[in-house]
Amino acid sequence: MLLSYSPILMFLVLVLILLFYVKWTSETKVRLQNTNELFASHVSSVLDSSMKSIEEFVVQQMLTDEKLTEYMNSTAPTPPFTMYELTERLTDIRTLFPLTGDIYIYKISSQEIISNFGLIKPKDTFSDEDFLMRAIDNPEEKKWSSPRAYRLYQANAVANVVTLVRPLPVTSVVPKGYVVVNVQLSSIQQALQTVNSNASGYLELNDGDSSSLFRENTPPQSTWGISTIRSDYTGWHLSVGIPESEQKLMSVFLDAWTLPALITFLLSIIVLTYVTHRNYKPIEEIMIRIDHYALRRSLQLGKSSQHNEFQFIATALDNLMEKSHEYEAKHQDDLIIRKRYWFHELLTGSLSLSEAEWEREADELGIPHSFASSIVLVVMLDNRQQFSKAYNQRDQALFKFVVQGVLEEICRHHELAVWSEWKEADQLCSIIYFQDAVNEAKILNIANKLKEWVAANLQFTVSLYIGTTVSEMDEIRGSYWEAMQAGQYRALHGYSRIYAASDWKLNVQGDLYTHLHMAKGVVKLLRGGDSAWIDQFERLFEGIRRDGLSQEQTAEVVNYLFYSLKREMNDMPEEMMTVWVEPLRRYTPSAILAKELIDEIQRSMAELLHLLAESLHEWRDRQPQFPIVEQIALYLQSNYGNPDISLDHLGEEFGLAPRVVSKLFKAGTGERFVDYVMNLRMTEAKRLLTETDLPVQTIGEQVGYLQVISFIRTFKKSEGIPPGEYRKQYTRGSKEDGSS
């Protein structure tokens, strides 16, 4: 009976497979073409965005840079310091954009060239003069030039670049000069090669004159696999082609599968016939026994009835399987719950069973009840937020099951018993049992093997915390606690590492007060509009790394930064407070401290401070009185040594009432006039104390204190110690550093 229906079944399967493949081929072509067009559009958009960013940033700098405007309008010779400042600005632009090569400014009146390497006088060995003159003579040409050979000096090596030339000033009809930005063609090619490394398809970039900027791999033979995008911004053409191997896949299977399918079809019928006859005898024996059993049951009941063998078998098996599954499910659920419960009790040190009770419980749960020594190993999934976003709940559970299974397999390979449970969503805790003294090299080997296996076979990494060796069941809690303490160093030293309690000790080398004081200084500088806050912020986190602050201590420093910001907000005008509220609402302490690594915490905190600094700068630019505040600050920085400096003195100097000077200065810098002058004087005094041998009285006079007693009292109030003691401590510290 089975044999009679087999040809029909096989034929239907064959037809369905053929129809499926034809449909799959057509839809796959459409999807591949759409994907290819989307990829080409994305690459072109990224390239346009990079080039636009360079142009927009350069234009913005040319519009807003006062030094540059002053230089372009000036007819006097360029002072060396001004030339140096302009060179540094060009270097900053080049540093911000990795694609950017040399940048130089041409001033028409003096025919000077200022580049990021320095000043080029007229008639010097300037090798890009021909291109510059052509660009000046043809201002209507396209924004970005075609690829060209470029070098700034005759001695420089020739590099292929594309160039942007913009007049200066940017908004002027009659230019006074030009800014020239060169983007290295090799940087564009390297970026495109990186983008195409995973796709491994055909990719070609041509400019508007059909000059080739980049080409990788040969174009596919069929035209349907190529997508071309033209950039409205640069005029460049980007062509992307599907790899030839994917096109061949469309036809190879269709050409080669027919004959094997027919052979398989015939073999299936032969095998089906053979298997049917081979296995018929046991089935016949079973059916005979069922008939005998049904007949006997009918005689016992005193009635005769037709019986259905299949229904009889199905009913019996269903009842048996249902009871078995029900019992097994209840038993397994009970074991899982009990194992997790006792595991948590061991880690928290609250196990309430006696030794005999625990022995019976452990035997039933299948875990060791006695051991010579044991150690707690904690496996942490790195970057928990990214892991949760990348995978759904089902995939997360599967990956965690794999990690747990690999760890148990490695332990079995070392003939060690292990008890593992997921204590948290990203934390796998394991108790590894030893029947002898713990070999530290063995536990490190197990941890290293697991770390390397996960990194090589999964799309995420793990960090491992190793506790101390214990010999009693009650001491397992201590091993777990020490493993978690060692794991706090993950925030400082990064993911995919092993943190053993025997190697990582939480001894802070520096003074936490120093870091808090520096954090307060960062906020003060930011509130005063001083860009030096960026350097101090970098030094703050360098100190945190150097001194090895724990995760809790780092959180204390971050919270103090927020506390200082809120204190500064209380003294701000209401308009400025409103501007700061939105960034502080978006970047909360809890959101920043949720980051696992110190680099991520620093990056998020820097983003917040930059937003606050930019909003403060924009607000200050809108206030007409702030140029006066800047003039007052510059005056104080040059004349803080004058003992007659006061609000009355400044009022006479700038033609303002003393009360107006005090109010403007406080609103503009966030500091009182008295505190600002004292900080300037104390900074200079500390420099003189550490770098010169001048007497304390002389130093006090140089920084504006005619009476040495007043200087000593003010210095001690600011630094906590008198000037003489400060000099001794600095000298003693320098000697210790030299001897070490």
Side-chain angles (χ1 to χ4, degrees):
M1 185 171 61
L2 290 174
L3 189 60
S4 62
Y5 291 106
S6 297
I8 300 175
L9 176 64
M10 293 295 181
F11 179 75
L12 288 176
V13 171
L14 196 63
V15 171
L16 289 175
I17 291 174
L18 180 60
L19 293 175
F20 165 78
Y21 181 75
V22 171
K23 182 65 176 176
W24 174 79
T25 301
S26 61
E27 292 186 357
T28 301
K29 282 187 176 182
V30 173
R31 286 197 297 270
L32 285 175
Q33 185 68 25
N34 292 339
T35 302
N36 195 50
E37 291 178 357
L38 183 62
F39 176 70
S41 176
H42 172 71
V43 174
S44 178
S45 175
V46 170
L47 190 58
D48 283 357
S49 176
S50 300
M51 305 301 282
K52 282 182 181 178
S53 297
I54 295 173
E55 180 183 3
E56 290 172 358
F57 185 81
V58 170
V59 170
Q60 182 184 7
Q61 288 295 105
M62 299 302 111
L63 286 171
T64 59
D65 197 308
E66 296 179 358
K67 285 291 182 183
L68 179 61
T69 304
E70 181 181 346
Y71 166 72
M72 297 305 297
N73 293 328
S74 173
T75 58
T78 305
F81 183 73
T82 300
M83 183 275 290
Y84 171 76
E85 286 186 327
L86 293 176
T87 300
E88 286 297 308
R89 281 162 168 77
L90 297 179
T91 302
D92 291 342
I93 296 174
R94 181 179 181 180
T95 304
L96 284 173
F97 298 94
L99 294 178
T100 309
D102 293 341
I103 304 175
Y104 63 83
I105 297 173
Y106 171 64
K107 184 176 179 181
I108 296 176
S109 61
S110 62
Q111 295 187 353
E112 290 179 344
I113 304 293
I114 294 182
S115 73
N116 47 291
F117 295 105
L119 176 65
I120 303 176
K121 291 293 186 179
K123 305 305 181 181
D124 280 352
T125 56
F126 176 56
S127 300
D128 205 32
E129 183 176 1
D130 293 340
F131 170 78
L132 179 59
M133 294 301 105
R134 286 197 307 272
I136 294 174
D137 294 337
N138 299 281
E140 300 301 325
E141 288 190 356
K142 54 191 176 182
K143 290 185 178 180
W144 290 95
S145 70
S146 299
R148 67 186 188 91
Y150 162 79
R151 57 181 174 183
L152 188 62
Y153 300 99
Q154 290 290 345
N156 290 354
V158 177
N160 291 325
V161 299
V162 292
T163 306
L164 171 72
V165 180
R166 292 298 299 266
L168 294 178
V170 176
T171 57
S172 176
V173 177
V174 180
K176 298 181 180 179
Y178 293 87
V179 60
V180 179
V181 182
N182 295 298
V183 172
Q184 296 181 357
L185 188 59
S186 61
S187 299
I188 298 176
Q189 293 172 345
Q190 184 177 1
L192 291 175
Q193 190 171 11
T194 302
V195 170
N196 198 40
S197 60
N198 292 330
S200 301
Y202 160 70
L203 192 148
E204 183 174 6
L205 178 66
N206 297 318
D207 68 356
D209 298 331
S210 298
S211 298
S212 178
L213 301 177
F214 174 78
R215 179 172 178 176
E216 187 172 57
N217 297 329
T218 57
Q221 296 177 355
S222 58
T223 57
W224 71 267
I226 299 179
S227 299
T228 301
I229 299 293
R230 182 188 180 278
S231 170
D232 295 332
Y233 171 67
T234 60
W236 296 349
H237 296 81
L238 178 70
S239 298
V240 178
I242 297 171
E244 191 170 351
S245 59
E246 294 186 10
Q247 294 191 2
K248 290 182 178 179
L249 184 63
M250 299 299 162
S251 58
V252 169
F253 180 76
L254 187 61
D255 295 338
W257 81 292
T258 309
L259 182 59
L262 292 175
I263 296 175
T264 304
F265 172 72
L266 295 175
L267 288 176
S268 300
I269 295 178
I270 295 172
V271 171
L272 182 61
T273 304
Y274 172 75
V275 171
T276 302
H277 286 279
R278 178 185 178 92
N279 295 287
Y280 173 72
K281 292 298 181 182
I283 296 175
E284 184 181 28
E285 183 66 25
I286 294 174
M287 297 306 298
I288 291 173
R289 294 188 179 185
I290 291 175
D291 288 338
H292 289 168
Y293 176 78
L295 179 60
R296 188 169 61 252
R297 290 286 296 174
S298 299
L299 293 175
Q300 290 176 353
L301 295 174
K303 61 179 181 178
S304 175
S305 62
Q306 295 291 331
H307 64 276
N308 188 323
E309 295 87 352
F310 290 105
Q311 183 179 0
F312 176 83
I313 296 173
T315 303
L317 290 177
D318 286 343
N319 291 334
L320 180 62
M321 294 298 294
E322 184 179 353
K323 295 295 182 182
S324 176
H325 287 163
E326 183 179 344
Y327 173 78
E328 184 66 22
K330 289 182 179 179
H331 180 68
Q332 291 299 326
D333 289 343
D334 180 60
L335 286 180
I336 292 173
I337 294 172
R338 284 161 58 194
K339 284 186 72 173
R340 290 178 179 173
Y341 174 77
W342 293 123
F343 189 84
H344 184 269
E345 293 288 294
L346 280 176
L347 293 186
T348 57
S350 53
L351 188 65
S352 58
L353 297 179
S354 65
E355 185 175 350
E357 290 173 338
W358 171 247
E359 185 174 340
R360 290 194 300 270
E361 188 73 18
D363 287 338
E364 186 173 353
L365 297 177
I367 56 177
H369 56 78
S370 62
F371 50 87
S373 58
S374 67
I375 196 167
V376 173
L377 174 66
V378 180
V379 182
M380 295 292 295
L381 299 180
D382 291 334
N383 204 337
R384 172 63 182 166
Q385 292 182 349
Q386 181 178 345
F387 179 78
S388 300
K389 292 179 181 178
Y391 306 106
N392 56 36
Q393 291 293 332
R394 179 182 177 186
D395 291 340
Q396 291 180 36
L398 176 61
F399 283 132
K400 291 195 287 187
F401 175 78
V402 170
V403 172
Q404 182 176 356
V406 171
L407 173 60
E408 293 174 353
E409 181 63 28
I410 293 173
C411 290
R412 281 195 295 269
H413 179 72
H414 287 79
E415 298 181 353
L416 297 175
V418 61
W419 184 7
S420 301
E421 297 288 346
W422 285 93
K423 189 173 183 294
E424 304 290 346
D426 59 345
Q427 181 187 127
L428 174 64
C429 297
S430 303
I431 304 174
I432 301 177
Y433 298 94
F434 297 83
Q435 297 306 320
D436 51 10
V438 174
N439 185 342
E440 186 173 351
K442 183 180 293 186
I443 193 67
L444 288 174
N445 184 34
I446 292 173
N448 194 55
K449 282 185 177 180
L450 177 61
K451 176 177 71 71
E452 291 179 353
W453 189 94
V454 172
N457 295 278
L458 302 177
Q459 299 298 319
F460 56 89
T461 60
V462 295
S463 297
L464 296 102
Y465 312 157
I466 301 176
T468 53
T469 305
V470 298
S471 56
E472 298 292 337
M473 186 171 57
D474 296 339
E475 298 173 349
I476 290 178
R477 172 195 179 189
S479 180
Y480 169 71
W481 184 84
E482 292 189 354
M484 296 304 297
Q485 289 296 307
Q488 290 193 27
Y489 274 100
R490 185 176 70 161
L492 288 172
H493 299 279
Y495 294 141
S496 192
R497 296 189 61 170
I498 298 173
Y499 300 92
S502 59
D503 297 332
W504 302 84
K505 301 297 182 183
L506 294 177
N507 294 324
V508 179
Q509 301 172 7
D511 183 8
L512 183 60
Y513 173 78
T514 303
H515 300 288
L516 296 177
H517 184 71
M518 185 173 289
K520 182 179 179 181
V522 171
V523 177
K524 284 289 184 184
L525 290 171
L526 185 146
R527 175 61 181 89
D530 191 342
S531 61
W533 73 265
I534 299 175
D535 294 334
Q536 181 144 340
F537 179 77
E538 293 293 335
R539 291 197 301 273
L540 171 63
F541 276 87
E542 287 174 5
I544 291 175
R545 294 185 181 90
R546 181 187 63 249
D547 294 341
L549 265 64
S550 67
Q551 200 165 7
E552 288 83 356
Q553 291 164 328
T554 303
E556 193 170 342
V557 175
V558 172
N559 283 320
Y560 190 74
L561 275 169
F562 277 92
Y563 168 75
S564 301
L565 287 171
K566 291 179 180 178
R567 285 196 60 182
E568 290 296 332
M569 281 183 64
N570 294 334
D571 296 331
M572 287 181 175
E574 184 175 352
E575 180 185 356
M576 190 60 227
M577 289 177 62
T578 305
V579 176
W580 273 26
V581 164
E582 174 58 25
L584 288 172
R585 184 189 65 79
R586 184 152 40 106
Y587 291 87
T588 62
S590 59
I592 291 178
L593 293 174
K595 309 293 183 181
E596 296 179 349
L597 300 183
I598 190 70
D599 291 341
E600 296 174 344
I601 294 175
Q602 179 181 357
R603 185 161 49 250
S604 298
M605 198 69 210
E607 291 175 1
L608 169 62
L609 296 180
H610 276 291
L611 286 175
L612 298 179
E614 289 174 3
S615 61
L616 179 62
H617 180 72
E618 293 174 357
W619 178 77
R620 287 165 63 97
D621 289 345
R622 295 194 300 268
Q623 310 303 314
Q625 69 272 23
F626 276 107
I628 300 176
V629 176
E630 293 178 354
Q631 294 175 18
I632 294 174
L634 291 174
Y635 182 84
L636 292 176
Q637 292 170 12
S638 302
N639 299 276
Y640 60 84
N642 184 356
D644 296 328
I645 285 292
S646 65
L647 289 173
D648 292 334
H649 177 84
L650 292 175
E652 294 177 0
E653 184 71 24
F654 292 94
L656 298 171
R659 291 178 59 189
V660 175
V661 173
S662 176
K663 184 177 180 181
L664 288 177
F665 195 84
K666 173 66 176 177
T669 64
E671 288 189 86
R672 296 187 306 161
F673 158 77
V674 176
D675 295 335
Y676 188 82
V677 174
M678 186 187 72
N679 288 335
L680 290 174
R681 290 174 170 176
M682 292 303 101
T683 301
E684 177 64 12
K686 288 189 287 184
R687 187 189 70 80
L688 294 174
L689 285 169
T690 57
E691 297 180 4
T692 69
D693 296 328
L694 294 174
V696 172
Q697 182 174 356
T698 303
I699 293 174
E701 292 174 354
Q702 289 189 11
V703 298
Y705 295 94
L706 297 178
Q707 300 295 326
V708 68
I709 297 300
S710 299
F711 171 63
I712 294 174
R713 185 186 304 114
T714 304
F715 191 94
K716 185 175 181 181
K717 179 181 177 181
S718 173
E719 304 301 323
I721 55 176
E725 182 65 25
Y726 181 85
R727 174 176 276 173
K728 289 179 182 179
Q729 288 187 4
Y730 178 83
T731 305
R732 189 184 310 118
S734 300
K735 289 180 179 179
E736 290 176 356
D737 293 341
S739 62
S740 61

